Amino acid sequence: MNSLYSIFYSITQEVSALVRSLLKKYNIKGGTFDQHFLVDTDYLDRIVAAADLRPEDVVLEIGAGIGNLTERLARKAKKVIVIELDPALVRILHDRFDGVENIEIIAGDALKVDFPEFDKVVSNLPYSISSEITFKLLRHKFKLGILMYQYEFAARMVSQPNCKDYSRLTVDTCYFADASILMKVPKSAFQPAPEVDSAVVKLVPRPAPFEVKDQAFFMDFVAAVFSQRRKKLRNAILNTNHVLKIPSVKEVVARLPEDLMNKRAENLTPEELAQVANKIVDLKKSILAEETKEQ
Ligand code: SAM
């Protein structure tokens, strides 16, 4: 063992022991509510470094657990606001941080609580709500997200057309933000160890890089056509029209670009999917206008 590694190893052992003793003292088993606490100090420090915190930054942390990441974030940021669901962990957070001026604790479900204003979000997320919480976050204005997900979820967020992980999640993510995987995190970095590997994703929100005429319809369209990802787009649209509710759907599909209709959703770029969705929006409008004129 070299000396730097042995220092990291012993600090990680200390954090691990702290987690174990707090869980025992407060009678928490871990494992429920996605409770896998990050104890490897190397990964904790790399996550904080990736957040590139400034003294003026207000940080949101979702699912603070016993506060291992919180403590490190609070050393660099103006303020850290944490949202934690489990009342037993909320008690630990209060016992640990009530004297610390720049940490605010919100007890509750992050899916239901109104988010405060924040500049950056840094979290080891509860994996079972990854999708809902990410798109709730992306409806807010912020500069940077450094977020831990299950590895497979992260891979789908950053995928490319024609790849097996390219999905609705890829297109929706690309609509709101630039996403990249910063590091893969092994199960052994957590306590208790989860059954899956993890990855830290960097999210930088920005305006969509392509035009979308009707955001709600675009989202529904992407969900619908990826539910039939192996079908040509023409058939995927026809098969899901009970959801999409496109009037005179056969006529609309016949007027959509044929080259794109012959491809599958998994072969189209987000921009091409937006082009088709926009064209449907235009055609729906002209069909409605024609119908009104005839009446
Ligand atoms: N951040 C801590 C760490 O890295 O050690 C804990 C991360 S653990 C993967 C996820 C945390 O999210 C747990 O503390 C769990 O109680 C909390 N949690 C689960 N569902 C939640 C929800 N809907 N809202 C807020 N917190 C939640």
Side-chain angles (χ1 to χ4, degrees):
M1 220 185 260
N2 71 36
S3 62
L4 200 59
Y5 179 79
S6 82
I7 291 169
F8 275 129
Y9 182 77
S10 65
I11 299 173
T12 296
Q13 292 307 98
E14 263 177 47
V15 176
S16 218
L18 172 70
V19 170
R20 266 199 308 275
S21 76
L22 283 172
L23 296 186
K24 195 168 169 210
K25 181 173 165 202
Y26 289 80
N27 196 22
I28 295 167
K29 293 206 171 53
T32 52
F33 295 126
D34 302 306
Q35 284 163 0
H36 301 282
F37 305 104
L38 184 60
V39 292
D40 188 310
T41 51
D42 183 31
Y43 286 106
L44 283 164
D45 291 341
R46 284 167 69 186
I47 289 170
V48 176
D52 189 24
L53 294 174
R54 310 279 142 165
E56 64 275 14
D57 282 337
V58 174
V59 178
L60 177 67
E61 186 190 0
I62 291 162
I66 68 159
N68 291 338
L69 185 57
T70 320
E71 182 199 29
R72 284 171 164 75
L73 295 169
R75 276 190 225 140
K76 301 219 160 166
K78 179 178 172 195
K79 187 172 183 183
V80 182
I81 305 169
V82 308
I83 305 176
E84 173 54 57
L85 175 68
D86 185 341
L89 292 175
V90 171
R91 227 175 338 120
I92 298 185
L93 292 169
H94 277 297
D95 288 354
R96 202 169 167 189
F97 297 128
D98 270 358
V100 183
E101 256 181 29
N102 68 338
I103 297 180
E104 180 184 333
I105 299 160
I106 301 176
D109 182 343
L111 291 176
K112 295 185 184 148
V113 166
D114 285 337
F115 288 166
E117 288 202 3
F118 59 98
D119 301 298
K120 296 179 179 173
V121 53
V122 185
S123 308
N124 172 15
L125 291 171
Y127 295 167
S128 61
I129 58 167
S130 295
S131 190
E132 289 154 284
I133 204 70
T134 302
F135 291 104
K136 178 170 176 182
L137 282 167
L138 287 168
R139 284 198 298 277
H140 288 73
K141 200 165 173 262
F142 64 94
K143 288 189 227 154
L144 174 67
I146 302 293
L147 299 167
M148 177 103 73
Y149 295 96
Q150 180 172 338
Y151 180 77
E152 286 74 14
F153 188 92
R156 284 196 286 126
M157 288 178 92
V158 306
S159 190
Q160 298 289 330
N162 305 313
C163 297
K164 81 168 170 40
D165 290 322
Y166 186 62
S167 57
R168 168 194 180 184
L169 178 64
T170 322
V171 178
D172 288 355
T173 305
C174 163
Y175 177 68
F176 288 107
D178 284 326
S180 53
I181 292 185
L182 293 183
M183 61 192 107
K184 197 168 174 180
V185 184
K187 298 165 195 166
S188 57
F190 300 86
Q191 197 176 305
E195 284 174 6
V196 293
D197 283 324
S198 303
V200 176
V201 171
K202 177 177 177 180
L203 272 187
V204 184
R206 45 119 181 85
F210 43 81
E211 187 196 15
V212 166
K213 292 189 174 173
D214 177 339
Q215 182 180 312
F217 180 75
F218 174 64
M219 294 290 165
D220 289 347
F221 174 75
V222 170
V225 296
F226 272 102
S227 73
Q228 308 250 317
R229 58 182 294 136
R230 309 287 303 157
K231 295 263 189 307
K232 286 185 177 169
L233 209 59
R234 173 184 297 105
N235 292 332
I237 296 171
L238 293 173
N239 292 347
T240 55
N241 202 42
H242 56 287
V243 182
L244 293 173
K245 300 194 181 341
I246 304 168
S248 313
V249 67
K250 286 190 180 151
E251 193 189 319
V252 167
V253 167
R255 286 157 75 178
L256 292 170
E258 202 173 340
D259 55 332
L260 300 184
M261 287 303 101
N262 283 327
K263 290 188 179 173
R264 298 167 174 160
E266 61 186 8
N267 307 125
L268 296 175
T269 63
E271 188 170 0
E272 287 172 325
L273 289 161
Q275 263 175 36
V276 177
N278 289 343
K279 185 87 181 136
I280 297 175
V281 169
D282 289 343
L283 288 168
K284 275 194 327 188
K285 273 192 201 140
S286 57
I287 287 170
L288 275 176
E290 278 166 29
E291 280 175 4
T292 325
K293 225 159 103 192
E294 278 167 19
Q295 281 165 11

